[in-house]
Amino acid sequence: MSRAPAQPLCSPISRGPIRSVLTYTTDHSQSVAVMSVDLGSEWMKIAIVKPGVPMEIALNKESRRKTPVAVCLKENERLFGDSALGVAVKNPKVVYRFLQSILGKTADNPQVAQYQKHFPEHQMQRDEKRGTVFFKFSEELQYTPEELLGMILNYSRGLAQDFAEQLIKDAVITVPAYFNQAERRAVLQAAHIAGLKVLQLINDNTAVALNYGVFRRKDINSTAQNIMFYDMGSGSTTATIVTYQTVKTKESGTQPQLQIRGVGFDRTLGGFEMELRLRDHLAKLFNEQKKSKKDVRENLRAMAKLLKEAQRLKTVLSANAEHMAQIEGLMDDIDFKAKVTRSEFEALCEDLFDRVPGPVKEALAAAEMTMDEIDQVILVGGSTRVPRVQDVLLKAVGKEELSKNINADEAAAMGAVYQAAALSKAFKVKPFLVRDAAVFPIQVEFSRETEEEDGVKTMKHNKRILFQRMAPYPQRKVITFNRYMDDFVFYINYGDLGFLSEQDLKVFGSQNLTTVKLSGVGSSFTKHSDAESKGIKAHFNMDESGVLILDRVKLGNTISSLFGGGSSEPTANVTEPVTDEEEVSPEAEKDQERSEKQEESAQEKPETEEGKEGEPQAEEQKDNKEDQAETQHRGHRGVQKEVSVSCFSELINVENELTESEKWDRHSVVTEDSLKNSHVFLPHIRLQDLTDRDLEKQEREKTLNSLEAFIFETQDKLYQDEYLAVVTEEEKEQITGKLSEASNWMDEEGYAAGTKELKEKLSELKKLCKAMFFRVEERKKWPDSLAALDSIAEFFLFYFFYKRSIFETFFIFFCLGNLEGNAVLSKDIDAKRSLLDREVNYLLNKAKFAKPKPKDKAKDKNTTSTENSKANSTEDAEKIITPKSDDGETDYFILANPLI
């Protein structure tokens, strides 16, 4: 369940009903800001929430609201975003982008080959240990896609921190809804490398739906509203059907909820493919002009320039029927110019436009709905601005119009940062329930020896569905193995993927998630033969990030588990759980039973009814998704513990901490995973070295700029009147000489000098000019200090001119205003003024509280009218007060009525 904005939308914890674990302060070490990253294939959008800033897109260093997902690796520096793209047209070999398509992919995956075709300038090689690929930058340096993405995520964190002006560690990151387990874990690894604490991986379509619902919560009621979001970005296209309605909850009463009902996608349909078609068309036009004997397609630098122009051209043609493409010095100093029409562009991408309705049909099929049940279709993603895409889609959905009432570029980032605020303990937002759905089914498979009536023993293969297609998550489920009394093996695989095309299946990769071997089962039963066996329960959890975890394995209902490390309690989250923990018998899994043979179904049913003698039973908890059930992802906070061979020692350590009474049924679990690439954390010490080097470079550049600025500014100041007034000719000559010497040194050696040497040179010059700067500042302060002194002196002179000691003090103050040069400091003037001010306040208070002379009691009450008249006439006269001085003498002074 998600939480939505209170008033204000997000408020820092303070007191009252707002739950809190942190004490909010302004100390950066206790900062509470959170961020989101809408991680697209070409662009990323970053949003933050901090006290006083409910939800806002973070601007990058170029003050843009979106940043290219690109990193440039040079010999001595790294560049990101727009700076990296600037290098791409000059040296494309050192710029890496569009990494999303190869995350979690093995070397033989078709998308890896496609990536190599699109970017032939990169050397991609197979990682024999992990089975994936890495980029060979040089003989000494190689980087995996996860490491490069980690650099980019670390850069995004820096942008968020600069914008928020405080440290940020917690983040929600968007991923495509069609990402499988290997791809999701690759993103988590990249975030780990970047030092980010992932609160949740949220599907980008879910983030869009949440953003839409949060700002329209007043329109959501008990009547279901079905909305389709059609999202075409740079690299892929996704259609999502979402149902909005209010539901009752135990915790917070009636609240709005969104439920993902159906998802359809096309992994390679997007704006980038259109741009590549347009790039190749421009290359063809250039070759046809025959201005060069060389083929432009063989020049990597020229092709990078053509791709950049194609990207601009595609945007312009969305609003214009034709446009002129032009590039100066495309190749061999030859300029290129050619007219391209929208009709030509549409002809180039005709087959792509034919694929536009595909995701819509898949989403409807997954949701088991028709277009008549869809209330509106909303466009999301930059590539939906292409007119032909809108025309084809409008015809496919059969609606009067396509809705554009959402920010097509920033909706996912804003929905994700809302989720980040809901997950953070520092903010409170109004509840908004989210029921996401797993796109791919997952099942458990195992084999068991059975004995036929004739005594012949055979091996029977069994399947149990853990999570069906479009099953809600987070969700926990339990499989109970009742007939195993010894060590055994079971497999966690994807279920029926028949809804995918042949090409999608190839891209999908291996359908085996993991193989789990349980050891020590037989010895445990032998030791406790008198104990009643309730089977072996395997607890699975699909967490809020859509990552599948084998949480633990237990014998019966004992508290100890064969498999340890995960928490047995569901993690608190903003996503509404579907169930808590219920056991579903095999016959309830109708979809799976239909796929099995009729005789096998007849054998399974009576076994299940017999309880212990039945086959493994599936208990539903709440969790579902794919890829590496053995990897432990602790809660939605993004802390992963890998259950591969590399982490087996950690499991042993956990076991050794148990007491003797707990050890009887605790045994080792050995896992073998066919997708090792998504398990192994990459060593990123070298990435820290790169970060340190970047910081050193930034520090050197900062010092160099400071030194240059100091030299030029000080040279200019020496000709200004305010500096000439405080410096002697000798001093001026000395400073001028040193500045000229430093300037010459900068031209000859300074730009190659190290940070330490630059700092020493700057410190030397500042020390030389310190006295001059100090005198100038003092002269600037004098007017205000003397004006304040004059004011209090005049007040004293007019009203309190008495007692010689006070007069002498005043005389000294008065003379200060006439001093020249730097003999008197502004702080000395302020000190004298404070002393005089204290004396004045003392005398004022003394006069204010002086008691009037008491009346004569013996005076006749019957006073004559003449006396009354005389008394009245003297009321406005001056009052004489005679205070005593320290020497006993009487001092006289006058207080005017306005001062009393």
Side-chain angles (χ1 to χ4, degrees):
M1 97 188 137
S2 213
R3 294 174 205 159
Q7 299 296 328
L9 186 63
C10 295
S11 57
I13 39 180
S14 54
R15 56 183 182 275
I18 299 178
R19 60 185 178 86
S20 95
V21 182
L22 301 172
T23 300
Y24 176 68
T25 68
T26 57
D27 187 345
H28 285 190
S29 64
Q30 300 181 28
S31 60
V32 294
V34 294
M35 65 179 288
S36 70
V37 183
D38 177 22
L39 189 62
S41 57
E42 183 177 10
W43 303 94
M44 64 179 175
K45 276 74 70 177
I46 306 160
I48 66 162
V49 171
K50 73 171 185 176
V53 182
M55 294 195 302
E56 187 171 346
I57 295 293
L59 303 182
N60 61 20
K61 295 179 180 179
E62 291 76 25
S63 297
R64 301 181 63 189
R65 298 175 71 85
K66 62 180 183 179
T67 303
V69 182
V71 55
C72 169
L73 301 178
K74 290 186 175 181
E75 291 297 330
N76 298 315
E77 65 178 337
R78 291 184 300 173
L79 300 175
F80 297 91
D82 292 294
S83 299
L85 287 188
V87 178
V89 296
K90 300 177 182 178
N91 187 8
K93 291 182 179 181
V94 298
V95 180
Y96 301 90
R97 48 189 178 144
F98 290 95
L99 300 169
Q100 191 185 75
S101 62
I102 56 175
L103 289 174
K105 302 291 193 303
T106 55
D108 57 353
N109 193 287
Q111 282 204 319
V112 173
Q114 187 75 355
Y115 186 93
Q116 185 70 83
K117 179 181 177 181
H118 291 161
F119 303 99
E121 61 269 20
H122 297 318
Q123 282 188 282
M124 298 179 67
Q125 297 185 3
R126 177 186 176 88
D127 186 333
E128 297 299 334
K129 182 179 180 181
R130 302 171 67 236
T132 55
V133 295
F134 63 85
F135 293 96
K136 185 178 180 180
F137 182 72
S138 65
E139 292 297 331
E140 297 79 20
L141 297 176
Q142 295 88 32
Y143 297 102
T144 66
E146 292 87 350
E147 288 174 317
L148 295 175
L149 183 60
M151 298 179 194
I152 295 171
L153 287 176
N154 188 54
Y155 176 71
S156 73
R157 177 187 177 187
L159 293 178
Q161 290 181 157
D162 291 343
F163 193 78
E165 298 180 336
Q166 59 180 274
L167 296 175
I168 298 179
K169 286 188 176 181
D170 297 346
V172 169
I173 302 175
T174 70
V175 294
Y178 56 78
F179 260 25
N180 60 26
Q181 294 293 299
E183 292 166 309
R184 290 175 187 270
R185 293 186 186 280
V187 175
L188 289 173
Q189 288 179 1
H192 174 78
I193 291 171
L196 281 172
K197 181 181 180 183
V198 180
L199 299 176
Q200 180 182 344
L201 294 181
I202 186 171
N203 293 334
D204 49 16
N205 58 348
T206 305
V208 169
L210 179 58
N211 176 252
Y212 179 85
V214 162
F215 293 101
R216 291 165 180 80
R217 59 184 301 125
K218 294 182 179 179
D219 301 329
I220 301 174
N221 50 45
S222 57
T223 302
Q225 304 175 44
N226 299 318
I227 295 182
M228 175 181 287
F229 295 94
Y230 191 87
D231 182 0
M232 180 181 286
S234 178
S236 61
T237 300
T238 305
T240 308
I241 298 175
V242 183
T243 297
Y244 294 94
Q245 66 182 131
T246 55
V247 297
K248 291 184 179 181
T249 63
K250 295 180 181 179
E251 296 82 6
S252 51
T254 302
Q255 299 295 342
Q257 172 185 272
L258 71 85
Q259 180 177 0
I260 306 298
R261 299 289 300 279
V263 176
F265 60 89
D266 190 324
R267 282 179 176 263
T268 58
L269 176 61
F272 183 56
E273 187 63 32
M274 299 177 192
E275 293 161 2
L276 290 173
R277 302 279 182 96
L278 201 50
R279 179 200 65 178
D280 294 341
H281 177 66
L282 294 178
K284 179 183 176 183
L285 293 179
F286 179 80
N287 286 336
E288 289 175 351
Q289 292 177 359
K290 296 183 179 180
K291 293 182 179 180
S292 174
K293 296 180 180 180
K294 301 177 182 178
D295 187 346
V296 69
R297 291 171 295 187
E298 296 177 358
N299 189 310
L300 298 178
R301 186 173 178 178
M303 292 300 286
K305 292 180 180 179
L306 287 173
L307 178 58
K308 182 179 180 180
E309 180 64 9
Q311 292 170 334
R312 186 187 70 86
L313 199 59
K314 188 198 74 171
T315 302
V316 174
L317 289 176
S318 295
N320 300 273
E322 61 181 37
H323 190 68
M324 190 68 68
Q326 49 188 347
I327 304 174
E328 294 183 4
L330 175 59
M331 185 176 69
D332 297 337
D333 294 328
I334 300 174
D335 296 338
F336 170 63
K337 190 174 183 180
K339 185 177 74 173
V340 180
T341 65
R342 182 189 293 176
S343 58
E344 289 176 329
F345 168 64
E346 292 177 349
L348 291 171
C349 305
E350 190 66 36
D351 60 318
L352 299 180
F353 297 134
D354 291 341
R355 290 158 55 184
V356 168
V360 174
K361 297 177 182 178
E362 291 180 10
L364 291 171
E368 298 181 350
M369 300 172 70
T370 64
M371 279 305 306
D372 294 336
E373 300 175 75
I374 306 300
D375 297 316
Q376 60 175 317
V377 178
I378 299 178
L379 297 179
V380 185
S383 295
T384 56
R385 297 188 179 96
V386 176
R388 184 64 183 277
V389 171
Q390 296 185 17
D391 294 341
V392 175
L393 180 61
L394 186 61
K395 183 178 180 180
V397 299
K399 300 292 183 182
E400 293 183 0
E401 63 178 357
L402 300 173
S403 299
K404 302 174 184 178
N405 52 354
I406 196 171
N407 190 319
D409 291 317
E410 299 176 359
M414 298 300 283
V417 80
Y418 183 87
Q419 185 79 334
L423 289 170
S424 172
K425 296 177 181 179
F427 303 93
K428 181 182 179 181
V429 293
K430 293 181 180 178
F432 202 108
L433 311 183
V434 177
R435 296 185 68 184
D436 212 330
V439 176
F440 307 112
I442 296 178
Q443 63 190 18
V444 172
E445 299 184 30
F446 55 93
S447 297
R448 182 178 61 82
E449 187 178 68
T450 61
E451 186 174 345
E452 304 294 338
E453 295 181 357
D454 56 1
V456 178
K457 294 183 178 181
T458 59
M459 295 298 295
K460 178 183 177 183
H461 190 71
N462 300 277
K463 298 179 182 180
R464 289 292 173 266
I465 294 179
L466 271 179
F467 305 104
Q468 297 182 0
R469 185 186 179 192
M470 302 311 299
Y473 72 83
Q475 189 175 157
R476 306 178 70 88
K477 288 195 177 182
V478 179
I479 292 287
T480 303
F481 299 91
N482 287 319
R483 288 197 167 187
Y484 285 101
M485 302 298 291
D486 206 345
D487 301 352
F488 65 99
V489 177
F490 64 89
Y491 308 89
I492 305 173
N493 301 326
Y494 290 105
D496 183 12
L497 300 178
F499 59 91
L500 296 179
S501 66
E502 182 178 351
Q503 181 64 23
D504 285 337
L505 283 174
K506 292 179 181 179
V507 172
F508 192 85
S510 173
Q511 296 187 32
N512 172 251
L513 289 173
T514 187
T515 300
V516 181
K517 292 183 179 181
L518 298 182
S519 60
V521 177
S523 59
S524 180
F525 279 117
T526 302
K527 291 179 182 178
H528 303 275
S529 58
D530 56 338
E532 181 182 1
S533 171
K534 293 186 178 180
I536 301 170
K537 296 179 182 292
H539 295 248
F540 297 89
N541 175 26
M542 181 168 286
D543 67 11
E544 296 81 0
S545 298
V547 176
L548 181 64
I549 305 163
L550 176 55
D551 199 41
R552 63 195 186 278
V553 178
K554 299 200 305 184
L555 290 181
N557 58 359
T558 59
I559 60 171
S560 297
S561 55
L562 292 176
F563 182 94
S567 172
S568 61
E569 296 298 327
T571 310
N573 190 17
V574 295
T575 307
E576 178 72 6
V578 183
T579 60
D580 186 14
E581 181 173 343
E582 59 180 288
E583 188 165 348
V584 179
S585 58
E587 66 268 22
E589 300 170 353
K590 296 180 181 179
D591 292 339
Q592 185 62 46
E593 293 298 332
R594 293 194 191 102
S595 65
E596 295 180 355
K597 294 182 180 180
Q598 184 174 1
E599 59 272 15
E600 290 179 346
S601 300
Q603 293 174 2
E604 289 297 317
K605 191 170 182 178
E607 288 179 343
T608 302
E609 292 173 349
E610 293 176 5
K612 292 186 206 177
E613 298 179 4
E615 284 297 342
Q617 302 173 3
E619 302 177 22
E620 294 202 10
Q621 247 176 347
K622 296 186 160 197
D623 302 280
N624 74 303
K625 231 159 187 169
E626 356 159 3
D627 210 2
Q628 283 124 8
E630 44 193 32
T631 301
Q632 301 234 359
H633 179 281
R634 290 187 175 177
H636 61 274
R637 300 301 181 186
V639 180
Q640 287 193 155
K641 184 166 69 175
E642 308 299 337
V643 185
S644 61
V645 176
S646 62
C647 281
F648 180 64
S649 59
E650 185 172 356
L651 296 177
I652 295 297
N653 293 335
V654 173
E655 181 181 351
N656 291 339
E657 294 174 0
L658 298 175
T659 63
E660 290 301 322
S661 60
E662 292 176 320
K663 285 186 178 179
W664 75 271
D665 65 344
R666 180 86 175 210
H667 297 279
S668 303
V669 175
V670 180
T671 59
E672 295 177 359
D673 201 318
S674 60
L675 297 179
K676 295 178 181 178
N677 59 291
S678 63
H679 279 281
V680 181
F681 268 129
L682 303 169
H684 54 279
I685 297 176
R686 58 182 174 180
L687 297 186
Q688 185 59 49
D689 293 339
L690 288 174
T691 301
D692 293 341
R693 190 175 67 185
D694 288 345
L695 293 175
E696 166 62 22
K697 178 177 177 291
Q698 294 171 11
E699 180 67 16
R700 182 189 176 280
E701 290 177 348
K702 182 179 179 181
T703 306
L704 180 64
N705 292 336
S706 298
L707 178 56
E708 281 185 311
F710 185 87
I711 293 173
F712 295 132
E713 290 175 4
T714 307
Q715 286 176 330
D716 181 64
K717 288 175 181 177
L718 287 174
Y719 293 95
Q720 298 175 10
D721 292 340
E722 59 181 339
Y723 285 86
L724 291 174
V726 300
V727 68
T728 64
E729 284 297 326
E730 183 181 354
E731 285 179 308
K732 180 181 177 182
E733 183 178 349
Q734 182 185 11
I735 295 174
T736 303
K738 287 292 185 181
L739 291 174
S740 299
E741 180 183 332
S743 180
N744 294 332
W745 177 83
M746 287 288 295
D747 294 335
E748 297 173 2
E749 304 176 30
Y751 292 102
T755 306
K756 182 179 179 181
E757 191 174 359
L758 292 171
K759 286 184 176 181
E760 290 175 351
K761 184 67 69 174
L762 179 60
S763 177
E764 178 185 347
L765 293 177
K766 284 184 175 181
K767 184 177 180 180
L768 176 65
C769 302
K770 182 178 179 180
M772 178 182 68
F773 291 148
F774 178 77
R775 291 196 294 270
V776 170
E777 289 301 313
E778 279 298 307
R779 289 180 64 87
K780 289 180 180 178
K781 294 176 183 179
W782 279 0
D784 291 338
S785 297
L786 290 173
L789 179 61
D790 287 343
S791 177
I792 194 67
E794 289 177 6
F795 180 81
F796 168 79
L797 180 63
F798 186 77
Y799 294 110
F800 302 113
F801 195 78
Y802 90 103
K803 195 169 177 57
R804 186 176 61 179
S805 60
I806 297 297
F807 175 76
E808 291 174 350
T809 302
F810 164 74
F811 180 77
I812 295 175
F813 295 158
F814 184 78
C815 290
L816 285 175
N818 297 322
L819 294 179
E820 297 292 340
N822 62 342
V824 179
L825 302 180
S826 60
K827 67 178 182 178
D828 297 330
I829 301 175
D830 292 338
K832 293 296 184 182
R833 179 187 57 78
S834 297
L835 179 60
L836 182 56
D837 190 51
R838 186 178 65 179
E839 293 292 340
V840 170
N841 288 332
Y842 168 74
L843 293 174
L844 277 174
N845 290 329
K846 189 174 181 180
K848 182 177 180 182
F849 293 105
K851 295 182 179 180
K853 186 177 180 180
K855 293 182 180 180
D856 187 0
K857 296 182 180 180
K859 192 174 182 179
D860 187 8
K861 296 181 179 178
N862 299 322
T863 309
T864 64
S865 59
T866 304
E867 291 173 336
N868 289 336
S869 176
K870 184 179 181 180
N872 292 334
S873 64
T874 59
E875 285 182 358
D876 296 330
E878 299 169 343
K879 294 183 179 181
I880 306 297
I881 303 176
T882 58
K884 297 292 184 179
S885 63
D886 295 338
D887 56 6
E889 297 179 356
T890 301
D891 293 319
Y892 295 91
F893 64 98
I894 299 174
L895 284 178
N897 284 333
L899 293 177
I900 298 178

mmCIF file of all heavy atoms in Angstrom, residues 863-875:
data_model
loop_
_atom_site.group_PDB
_atom_site.id
_atom_site.type_symbol
_atom_site.label_atom_id
_atom_site.label_comp_id
_atom_site.label_asym_id
_atom_site.label_seq_id
_atom_site.Cartn_x
_atom_site.Cartn_y
_atom_site.Cartn_z
ATOM 1 N N THR A 863 -7.380 73.821 49.592
ATOM 2 C CA THR A 863 -6.434 74.659 48.865
ATOM 3 C C THR A 863 -7.187 75.693 48.039
ATOM 4 O O THR A 863 -8.219 75.382 47.439
ATOM 5 C CB THR A 863 -5.575 73.783 47.949
ATOM 6 O OG1 THR A 863 -5.033 72.724 48.726
ATOM 7 C CG2 THR A 863 -4.447 74.605 47.326
ATOM 8 N N THR A 864 -6.638 76.884 48.028
ATOM 9 C CA THR A 864 -7.307 77.946 47.261
ATOM 10 C C THR A 864 -7.198 77.689 45.773
ATOM 11 O O THR A 864 -6.322 76.958 45.306
ATOM 12 C CB THR A 864 -6.662 79.299 47.593
ATOM 13 O OG1 THR A 864 -5.312 79.261 47.157
ATOM 14 C CG2 THR A 864 -6.748 79.604 49.077
ATOM 15 N N SER A 865 -8.099 78.275 45.037
ATOM 16 C CA SER A 865 -8.097 78.115 43.581
ATOM 17 C C SER A 865 -6.843 78.667 42.955
ATOM 18 O O SER A 865 -6.368 78.205 41.933
ATOM 19 C CB SER A 865 -9.323 78.815 42.986
ATOM 20 O OG SER A 865 -9.306 80.194 43.325
ATOM 21 N N THR A 866 -6.259 79.692 43.620
ATOM 22 C CA THR A 866 -5.029 80.276 43.094
ATOM 23 C C THR A 866 -3.884 79.292 43.148
ATOM 24 O O THR A 866 -3.082 79.163 42.214
ATOM 25 C CB THR A 866 -4.669 81.532 43.891
ATOM 26 O OG1 THR A 866 -5.759 82.441 43.853
ATOM 27 C CG2 THR A 866 -3.414 82.198 43.310
ATOM 28 N N GLU A 867 -3.843 78.567 44.279
ATOM 29 C CA GLU A 867 -2.768 77.580 44.430
ATOM 30 C C GLU A 867 -2.924 76.450 43.409
ATOM 31 O O GLU A 867 -1.944 75.942 42.864
ATOM 32 C CB GLU A 867 -2.774 77.030 45.858
ATOM 33 C CG GLU A 867 -2.349 78.060 46.895
ATOM 34 C CD GLU A 867 -2.534 77.540 48.300
ATOM 35 O OE1 GLU A 867 -3.388 76.639 48.451
ATOM 36 O OE2 GLU A 867 -1.824 77.993 49.196
ATOM 37 N N ASN A 868 -4.188 76.030 43.201
ATOM 38 C CA ASN A 868 -4.438 74.963 42.211
ATOM 39 C C ASN A 868 -4.022 75.398 40.825
ATOM 40 O O ASN A 868 -3.440 74.641 40.058
ATOM 41 C CB ASN A 868 -5.918 74.581 42.201
ATOM 42 C CG ASN A 868 -6.319 73.827 43.462
ATOM 43 O OD1 ASN A 868 -5.457 73.221 44.086
ATOM 44 N ND2 ASN A 868 -7.584 73.884 43.823
ATOM 45 N N SER A 869 -4.349 76.656 40.561
ATOM 46 C CA SER A 869 -3.973 77.166 39.252
ATOM 47 C C SER A 869 -2.470 77.196 39.085
ATOM 48 O O SER A 869 -1.921 76.870 38.046
ATOM 49 C CB SER A 869 -4.567 78.573 39.079
ATOM 50 O OG SER A 869 -4.141 79.126 37.870
ATOM 51 N N LYS A 870 -1.764 77.582 40.142
ATOM 52 C CA LYS A 870 -0.306 77.633 40.084
ATOM 53 C C LYS A 870 0.291 76.253 39.922
ATOM 54 O O LYS A 870 1.267 76.044 39.185
ATOM 55 C CB LYS A 870 0.204 78.292 41.355
ATOM 56 C CG LYS A 870 1.720 78.479 41.364
ATOM 57 C CD LYS A 870 2.157 79.164 42.626
ATOM 58 C CE LYS A 870 3.651 79.372 42.641
ATOM 59 N NZ LYS A 870 4.105 80.044 43.873
ATOM 60 N N ALA A 871 -0.313 75.312 40.670
ATOM 61 C CA ALA A 871 0.198 73.928 40.555
ATOM 62 C C ALA A 871 0.014 73.385 39.155
ATOM 63 O O ALA A 871 0.883 72.704 38.609
ATOM 64 C CB ALA A 871 -0.503 73.034 41.577
ATOM 65 N N ASN A 872 -1.125 73.658 38.531
ATOM 66 C CA ASN A 872 -1.389 73.185 37.188
ATOM 67 C C ASN A 872 -0.446 73.792 36.180
ATOM 68 O O ASN A 872 -0.039 73.159 35.216
ATOM 69 C CB ASN A 872 -2.835 73.498 36.782
ATOM 70 C CG ASN A 872 -3.836 72.677 37.584
ATOM 71 O OD1 ASN A 872 -3.494 71.605 38.051
ATOM 72 N ND2 ASN A 872 -5.057 73.196 37.725
ATOM 73 N N SER A 873 -0.110 75.041 36.457
ATOM 74 C CA SER A 873 0.779 75.723 35.506
ATOM 75 C C SER A 873 2.194 75.197 35.550
ATOM 76 O O SER A 873 2.970 75.400 34.625
ATOM 77 C CB SER A 873 0.784 77.225 35.784
ATOM 78 O OG SER A 873 1.339 77.471 37.072
ATOM 79 N N THR A 874 2.539 74.525 36.619
ATOM 80 C CA THR A 874 3.917 74.011 36.746
ATOM 81 C C THR A 874 4.036 72.530 36.385
ATOM 82 O O THR A 874 5.118 71.972 36.431
ATOM 83 C CB THR A 874 4.411 74.202 38.195
ATOM 84 O OG1 THR A 874 3.535 73.505 39.083
ATOM 85 C CG2 THR A 874 4.445 75.671 38.555
ATOM 86 N N GLU A 875 2.917 71.864 36.002
ATOM 87 C CA GLU A 875 2.984 70.428 35.693
ATOM 88 C C GLU A 875 3.819 70.161 34.448
ATOM 89 O O GLU A 875 4.475 69.134 34.335
ATOM 90 C CB GLU A 875 1.577 69.874 35.504
ATOM 91 C CG GLU A 875 0.830 69.692 36.816
ATOM 92 C CD GLU A 875 -0.549 69.091 36.596
ATOM 93 O OE1 GLU A 875 -0.901 68.876 35.415
ATOM 94 O OE2 GLU A 875 -1.235 68.829 37.574
#
